[in-house]
Amino acid sequence: MKKIEAIIKPFKLDEVKDALNEIGIQGMTVTEVKGFGRQKGHVELYRGAEYDIAFIPKVKLDVVVPDSLVAKTVAAIEAKAKTGKIGDGKIFILPVEEVLRIRTGETGEAAI
Amino acid sequence: MKKIEAIIKPFKLDEVKDALNEIGIQGMTVTEVKGFGRQKGHVELYRGAEYDIAFIPKVKLDVVVPDSLVAKTVAAIEAKAKTGKIGDGKIFILPVEEVLRIRTGETGEAAI
Amino acid sequence: MKKIEAIIKPFKLDEVKDALNEIGIQGMTVTEVKGFGRQKGHVELYRGAEYDIAFIPKVKLDVVVPDSLVAKTVAAIEAKAKTGKIGDGKIFILPVEEVLRIRTGETGEAAI
Amino acid sequence: MKNLMSAFLILMFLLSAGVVFAEEQVQKTIPPSTAAEQGAPPAQSAPAAPVAAEAPAPLKIDTGDTAWMIVATALVMLMSIPGLALFYGGLAKKKDSLNTMAMTFVAFCIASILWVMYGYTFSFGTDIGGFIGGAEKLMLKGVGPNSISDLAKTIPEYIFLMYQMTFAAITVALASGAYIERMKFSAWVIFSVLWMTLVYVPVAHWVWGGGFLAKLGALDFAGGTVVHVNAGIAALVGALVLGKRKEKSLLPSNLTLVVTGAGLLWFGWFGFNAGSALGANGLAGAAFLNTNTATAVAAIAWMVVEWMHSKKPTVLGLASGAVGGLVAITPAAGFVNISGAIVIGLAAGIIPFFAVAWLKPKLGYDDTLDAFGIHGIGGTLGAILTGVFADPSINEAGKGLLYGNPGQLVTQLIAVGVTMVYSAVMTLIIFGIIKVLVGLRVDPEEEMIGLDESQHGEKAYNL
Amino acid sequence: MKNLMSAFLILMFLLSAGVVFAEEQVQKTIPPSTAAEQGAPPAQSAPAAPVAAEAPAPLKIDTGDTAWMIVATALVMLMSIPGLALFYGGLAKKKDSLNTMAMTFVAFCIASILWVMYGYTFSFGTDIGGFIGGAEKLMLKGVGPNSISDLAKTIPEYIFLMYQMTFAAITVALASGAYIERMKFSAWVIFSVLWMTLVYVPVAHWVWGGGFLAKLGALDFAGGTVVHVNAGIAALVGALVLGKRKEKSLLPSNLTLVVTGAGLLWFGWFGFNAGSALGANGLAGAAFLNTNTATAVAAIAWMVVEWMHSKKPTVLGLASGAVGGLVAITPAAGFVNISGAIVIGLAAGIIPFFAVAWLKPKLGYDDTLDAFGIHGIGGTLGAILTGVFADPSINEAGKGLLYGNPGQLVTQLIAVGVTMVYSAVMTLIIFGIIKVLVGLRVDPEEEMIGLDESQHGEKAYNL
Amino acid sequence: MKNLMSAFLILMFLLSAGVVFAEEQVQKTIPPSTAAEQGAPPAQSAPAAPVAAEAPAPLKIDTGDTAWMIVATALVMLMSIPGLALFYGGLAKKKDSLNTMAMTFVAFCIASILWVMYGYTFSFGTDIGGFIGGAEKLMLKGVGPNSISDLAKTIPEYIFLMYQMTFAAITVALASGAYIERMKFSAWVIFSVLWMTLVYVPVAHWVWGGGFLAKLGALDFAGGTVVHVNAGIAALVGALVLGKRKEKSLLPSNLTLVVTGAGLLWFGWFGFNAGSALGANGLAGAAFLNTNTATAVAAIAWMVVEWMHSKKPTVLGLASGAVGGLVAITPAAGFVNISGAIVIGLAAGIIPFFAVAWLKPKLGYDDTLDAFGIHGIGGTLGAILTGVFADPSINEAGKGLLYGNPGQLVTQLIAVGVTMVYSAVMTLIIFGIIKVLVGLRVDPEEEMIGLDESQHGEKAYNL
Ligand SMILES: Nc1ncnc2c1ncn2[C@@H]1O[C@H](COP(=O)(O)OP(=O)(O)O)[C@@H](O)[C@H]1O
Ligand SMILES: Nc1ncnc2c1ncn2[C@@H]1O[C@H](COP(=O)(O)OP(=O)(O)O)[C@@H](O)[C@H]1O
Ligand SMILES: Nc1ncnc2c1ncn2[C@@H]1O[C@H](COP(=O)(O)OP(=O)(O)O)[C@@H](O)[C@H]1O
C-alpha cells in the first residue's frame, strides 16, 4: 500500500474529491496547510502599505491506496488539480507498511 | 522506527493520549484534519434548507515509535478510539529512517 | 528522495524557512499542529483557577528533498530551530518513492 | 475599471457642484416658520404629542422630543453599521464576509452623501403632482439650526432629515443580502447610487412626503412598504438577474456575529419604530411595546416551527424569526394594540420560515441571505395586517378592517402593489444599466477564491 | 420531545387565549388617571425629580423623562442581546458558544411575551397581601398610550412596563451562566417560563411593586436583591442540581467577544441604574456617576489582586471585575455618595475574586461562568453595603448605618435573606419539575460533541 | 514588578485618601447655585439652547437636555469599550489582540477614577492664571445631585462631569494604537496615570475650562486639539521612543471586529460631537449632520483614492476613512455648514491616506495602527479648517476666514501648535519616567510569542 500526499490549490479540492470517488476511492483525509514554493505569496495592501504574505493557503490530501490503484489515483489528482499555472502543487508517494480499521480491526488492503 | 498515523474521532483524543502515556509514549503530534470516508457528513439545516457537510472533523495523531513498541501502540489506539460505529478511523504504519531531537542532537531511538 | 518532517517551535519558522531557501530548497509545506511531549503545557489562570493546557502549539514542516540534500537540510533545520530548551522538537526522515509536479507532470527529483 | 472611474468622476463632480452651490446661498439665520411655507400637511402617521399641543402658534423645539429623536437617529444608523453588516457578514461564507460587510458600509456612506445633496428635497420637498418632492432644498438650501419641518413640529429639521436619511441608507443595504457572494463591488457601488436615487427617493415621497399614496391614506408607520417591501422586491429581482452562485449552500462563517447583529438590529429598531412617533410620547411607547412583543413572538414561533419541522431549533432560526418579527411589525408599530402585535408576530415567525425553507428551493432563485424571504414577505405581511388590525384607540390616524374600515385593507394592498411593481421594474432597469457600465458578476475563479480576496485584497480573519 | 411539545402547546394556548381576551376588551382611550385608582404608594426608591414636582395635579408625560426612559429601556434590552450573550458566549467552549448565546436569546423572548401577558400585572398590579400584584392588567388590559403608572408619574405606562420587562428578562438569562455546557435546551426553555413566573414576578412585587419588603423599607435602587441575589442563588442551586460538567475547565472560546460583551453590559448598565431614577434628573446623574466609578474601581481592584495573586493581570479579570462592580453598585447607585461607590467598587473587585478563585474550587460546585460568584456574591455585597452607605443628601429615601440609621442594615439583611431562601427553594422545585418533564442534562456524548451541534445542529464558527 | 507594585500602592493610597477626605465633608444638600459662585464665564463653544434662555434667573435642569446628555455620555463611553478596543484589537496581530483591547479597557478605568478624584477639578475648577483649574472640587467636594455647572446650565453637574470624563478616557486610549505589539502592560498602566494627569487635564483646562487658549478664542467644538492632536502627538513621540517592532507588518487578526469597532465609533461619535452642544437643540442637530456627512465623504474619498492608487478598495480603507472623517470634523462639528463639512470630509479622507501610505514608510517611525497618521493629522486638519469654515449663521460663537475673520485661523494655528509642543515634550518626559520605573518594552521573545500570552497569560481565541 502507498500513501499519496497531494498538495493542491484549495478551490480544486471538490473536483479532486469527486474524481477520486469515481475511481472507487472512498476515504481520504484533508489538512489545511500553508505552502511555500515557486509561487510567490501575494501582496496585501493595508492602508496603502504593501505587506508580503509569503505563504499560500493549500490543502494537503492524504489518500492511502492499494498498490494497484496508485497510478490511477495519481492520474486522477493530476488531471483535476492542474490549472497549468504555477503553484498547482505536488504529489508525493510514500510506502505504507500496514493499515488498520479501528472500527472492525481489519488490516491490510481490506482496511483501506 | 515507525511512524504511526492514526485518524480518530476528536472526542477520543484525550483517552487515546492518556493510554499512550501509560504505555510509556511521551511524545506525539496532533493535527486537526477533515475526513471523507464511509461515514457520511451530517446535514446542517439552516433556515429549513438542508446543506450537506461532506467532511467530518477528525484528528490525526502522529506518533513515532521504536519498532518494539509498534504493536502495543497500535493496540492502545485501537482499544481507546473504538466506538464500533462507522467513522472510527484508521491507523497507518509508515517506515521512518531516522529521527533527530533538535534540542540535543541525539538521533535514532534515543531521540524519540 | 526523502521527506523530512520537522516539528518546531512556531516562532522559529521564519528563520528555518530562510535557512532552507539559502541552501537551495525552494518548496516546503507547513502545518499548524499541537504537540504533546516532555515540554509540559503551560497553565492558564482564568479567574484565579488554574487550567492545564496540555498541548503546545507547534508547526510541522514537510520538505521533500533529493537524497543528496538530506544531510544539509537536517543540519540547517537543526541549527536554526535549536534554542536548547525543552520542546525544540524533532526531525523525522521518511522514504519517498515518487514525486510529481502537478503543473508540468515532471516526476522524480526534477519535480521537487 | 474605466467605466467605474467615470461613475466616480460623476459622483465627485456632483459633490463639488453641491459644495459650490451651497456656498453661494450663505445660510442666513432662517426663521423657524420656513418649513411651514411649503404647506405640507401635518404628519398623519405621527400625531403631535400631547405636550406639543400646548404651543400651537410658532413651531418650537421641544428638548425632550429632540433628545429622543437624536438618539433614534443614531440608533437607526447603528442598525446599518455594524448591525446589518454583522448580521449579513456572519452569514456569508468566510471568504466573502468582509465584502458583505463592505456592501452595507459603502451603501450607508453613499446614502449619507446623496441624501443631503438631493435625496431629502426630492423626498420631502413640496409635493409635485403626488410623485416627487420639489428641488428647493438641494444641498439643504435654506435649512439651518433653527429650521423646523412641518412634518416634525417639535424637533430641529436637521434631526428630522438625518433621521430620514438613515432609513434611505438601510433600505439600500438590505437588498445586498440577496446579491452577496457573487456581485462585483463596483456594480454594488453604482447600484447604491442609482437605486437610492431612482427607487427609494420617490417611494419615500409617495408614502411619507405627501405623495399620492399618502393622499390615498396608506398607513406605514415606520417603513413596511417604503423600506421592507421595496428592498425585498429589489432583492428578489436582483437575485434573479444575477443568477445562482457556484456554491449555493448557506455556510455561515460566524454565527456569533449573526447573533450580535440580530441583537443590534433589535436594539436599533426601537429607534426605527418608536422613533417614527417623532417625539417622546405615548405613541412612541406603544410602538416600542408592539415592536418588542411582535419580535419576541416571531422568534419563538420560528423556533417552534423549526423544532417541529427539522427536529432542532437553530440559533439562526431564533435570530431570523426575530428579524422577521421586526420587519412585519414595522408598518404597524404605531397603529395596532398588543393583540395585533402578537398576531403579526406569529405570522412573521411562521410564514417567512416556509417562504425560505420551502418556497425558495421550489422556485429556485438564489437569494443568498433571504432578503426577499424575510424582508419582502415580512414587510408585505405587516403592511397588509396593518390594514386589518389598526386600532384607532392606539392612534386616531389608523382604523383597520377589525375596527370597521375594510377600505383600509384595500388601500394597503394598493400601496404594497404599487411599490412592488415600481421597485421590480426599476431594479431591472438599474441592473441593466450596471451590466453595461461595469458588469454584474465577478469571474467564476474570483467567486471560488472569495470576494474578500478578489474585490478587496483582504481576508476577514488571520487567526 | 413529547413532553417538550406539551410544554409548547401550553405556551401557545396561553398566548392565543391572551389574544382573544385582549381582543374583547377593545381598548378605549384610557384617562391618564387610571393607574392612580390602584392606590399604589409613590415609588420609594425613585423619588420624583424636582421638575416633576411642579405638576402635582393631573399626571402628565414629561418629554425629557420619557426620552431618557425609552432609551434606558432599549439599553437594558441591549444588555441581554447581545451584551450578556456575548459575555457568556465568548467564555463558553467553542463547541458550546452558540447554545450559550441561545439561552440568553430565548430567555429574553420568553420574558418579553409572558411579561405583557401576566408578568406586569402580577408584579405591579394592586398589592394583594404584600405578596403578589392583582390580575387587573392581564394582557395589559386597560393600559393605553395615554396611561401613566403611579410608580412613574412622568412617563407613559407603556414605557414603564417595558422597562420593567427588560429587568425580568435579564434576571432569568443571568442564571444560565451557571448551567451552560450541559443543560438541555428544552429544559432551559421550560426553566425560563417557570422561573420568571414563580420566582422573578413575586420577588419584584415584594421589593418594587409595593409588596412586603417595600413596606419594610428595603432599599434596592436598581436590582441588587431582585436581580442579582435572586439570579445568583438560582445559579448556585441549579449548578448543584445539574452536577459537574465532564470537562470542568473554563476554556474561553473567544475573549474578544467577552470584552465586547463586558463593554456593552457597562454601556447598557447606565440604562439599568441611571434609568432606575425613572427620569432625567440629578438622581439619574448620581446613579450614573456611582455606576461608572464603582465599576472602574472594581475592575482595577480585581486586576491588582490577580496581578499579585497569580502573577499576571488577565483581560478576563479586568472584565470580570468590571461586571462585579456593576453588580454591586446596582442596589446602591441612587443612594450612596462617591465615597460609598468607591468602597463598594473595591469590595466588588476583591471579594468575588476570592469567591471564584478560592471558594468555588473548595466547595466544588460547578458554576461554569461564575454566575453565583459574581452576581450572587456581588449582589449581596451591594445590597448590604447600601444599608451602610445610603446617604440622605443623595436621596432622601435612603439613610444607612453611617448616617445614623443602623436599622436599615437589618432591613437589607432581611431582604437579602428572604430572597435567597425563596429563590433557592423555588429553583429546587422548578428543577424537579423540569427533570420529570424533559430531563435536565444532555447525554454524555452530546456533552462531549458540544451543545451547539447536539442541541441546535449548528457550529458557531466555520472559519 | 517591585516598581510596578509601588506604583499601585501609590494609586491605592490616593484612592483611600480620597475616600476619607470625601467622607469628612458629608455632602449636605447643595443649593443649585453653587457652581455659579466660581464665576466661570459662559461656555463659548456651546451657546445656550433657545429653550434654556427662558429661565435666566436660577439655573434649572431641563429634562430634555439632561436626557440627551446622559445618553451622549454613555455613547462616548461606548466609543472606548468596546468601540476603540474592537477597532484596535481587530487590527492587532492575533497574538496581541487581547493586550491591545486591555490597553483601552484599563485606560478607561484609570481615567474614570482619577477624573472624579482630581481630574475634574483641575480641568474645570476656577481658573488659576489660565493654566490650571483650582482644587476646590477634589473628590467632587461640594458637587451633589442638585448641582449645576455654569458651563452647562441645563443639566446636572454630575452628568456634565461624567461627560467630560469620557473624553479624558478616550484621549488616553487613542494613543495606545501607536504603542501596541511591544509595550509592557505595566508601562502602559503608568503611562495612563501620568499622561492623563500631566497632559490631558491641563490641555482640557486651557481650551474648555476657561484657560488661556479659551481666552484667546480658540475654537474646538468637540476636541480636535484637546483630544486628537493631543493624543496623535503622544502617539508619534511614544512610537519613536519605543522603537520599531520586530515584525513590522500590519496583519489584522480580525477585520470583522474592525468594521464593528468602526461602526460603534461612528455611532458613539454622535454623542461626542452632537453631545458637545450640551443640550438637545438645533446646534446638536447641526453637529450631528456635519459629523455624519463628513464621515461618509471621508470614507468614500479614502476608498476612491485607494482604488486608484492600489488597485483595490479595502474594507480597512473604508473604515479608516470614516474614522479620519470623524476625527477631522470633531473640532468643526458645531461651527461649520454643510459645505464646510464636505470639504473637511474630503481632506480627511485623502490627506491621512497619504500620511499613512507614503509619509510613514518614508519617515520610518513605527506607529502600529496609525494613531498619529489618523488622529494627529486628522485632528490638525480639522482644527485648522475650523478656522477657515466656521460659519456664524450656524453658531454665533465661531467666525472663520471665509466669513471675514482671518484672525481665527491664526488662533487655531496657535492652539494646535501649543498643544503639539506641550504634548510632545511631556510625553517624552513621561516615557523617561516609565523607563526608569518599569521599563518600556517587553523582551524580544515575549514580543515574538505575543503580548497576550506574555503579559496576560491568555489567548484571544481558542477556536
Ligand atoms: N520540496 C517540497 N516539499 C514539500 N512541499 C513542497 C515542496 N515543494 C513544493 N511544495 C508544496 O507545493 C506547493 C506548490 O509548489 P510551487 O513551487 O509553488 O509550485 P509548483 O507546484 O507549480 O511547482 C507549495 O506551496 C508547497 O506547499
Ligand atoms: N484511504 C484513506 N486514506 C486516508 N484516510 C482515510 C482513508 N479512508 C478513510 N480515511 C480517514 O478515516 C476516516 C474514517 O473513515 P470512514 O470510512 O468514514 O469510516 P471507518 O473508519 O469506520 O471505515 C475518514 O474520515 C478519513 O479521514
Ligand atoms: N514520538 C513522537 N512522535 C511524534 N511527535 C513527537 C514525538 N515526540 C515528540 N514529538 C513532537 O515534538 C515536540 C517536542 O517534543 P518534547 O518532548 O516536548 O521536547 P524535545 O523535542 O525537547 O524532546 C512535541 O511537542 C511533539 O509535537
Side-chain angles (χ1 to χ4, degrees), chain A residues 42-83:
Chain A
H42 64 298
V43 164
E44 293 193 359
L45 274 160
Y46 286 115
R47 289 188 176 157
E50 302 197 350
Y51 298 107
D52 259 326
I53 305 298
F55 66 83
I56 301 175
K58 302 272 172 193
V59 302
K60 184 171 82 169
L61 204 70
D62 283 344
V63 207
V64 174
V65 292
D67 295 341
S68 59
L69 266 174
V70 171
K72 243 171 123 178
T73 305
V74 170
I77 298 176
E78 192 186 351
K80 293 299 175 182
K82 185 168 184 165
T83 67

Side-chain angles (χ1 to χ4, degrees), chain E residues 62 64-65 68 252-255 260 266-267 280 282 286 288-289 292 296 307 312-316 337 339 342 393 461, chain F residues 4 19 22-23 27 63 67 70 73-74 77 86 109 112 145 158 162 165 453-456 458-463:
Chain E
D62 176 277
D65 289 345
W68 166 229
S253 53
N254 191 337
L255 282 168
T260 308
W266 192 332
F267 174 65
F288 195 111
L289 169 72
N292 193 73
W307 210 329
K312 282 182 180 174
T314 63
V315 180
L316 175 57
N337 59 37
S339 309
I342 291 174
S393 78
Y461 304 93
Chain F
L4 174 74
V19 170
E23 219 40 75
Q27 296 171 325
T63 58
I70 297 175
T73 307
M77 178 265 152
L86 285 168
C109 293
S112 291
Y158 275 158
M162 287 312 281
M165 181 281 292
E453 174 73 42
S454 71
Q455 302 298 294
H456 307 286
E458 287 171 299
K459 274 203 299 291
Y461 303 94
N462 282 306
L463 295 183

Side-chain angles (χ1 to χ4, degrees), chain D residues 177-216:
Chain D
Y179 307 163
I180 67 158
E181 301 191 356
R182 59 199 186 289
M183 189 182 197
K184 277 190 184 176
F185 188 63
S186 56
W188 171 255
V189 167
I190 299 175
F191 174 85
S192 300
V193 173
L194 296 180
W195 197 87
M196 156 154 164
T197 307
L198 302 177
V199 186
Y200 185 82
V201 164
V203 175
H205 179 76
W206 301 346
V207 179
W208 291 333
F212 74 95
L213 291 173
K215 286 173 188 157
L216 209 70

Side-chain angles (χ1 to χ4, degrees), chain F residues 224-239:
Chain F
T225 43
V226 179
V227 175
H228 297 289
V229 172
N230 207 356
I233 292 295
L236 177 63
V237 171

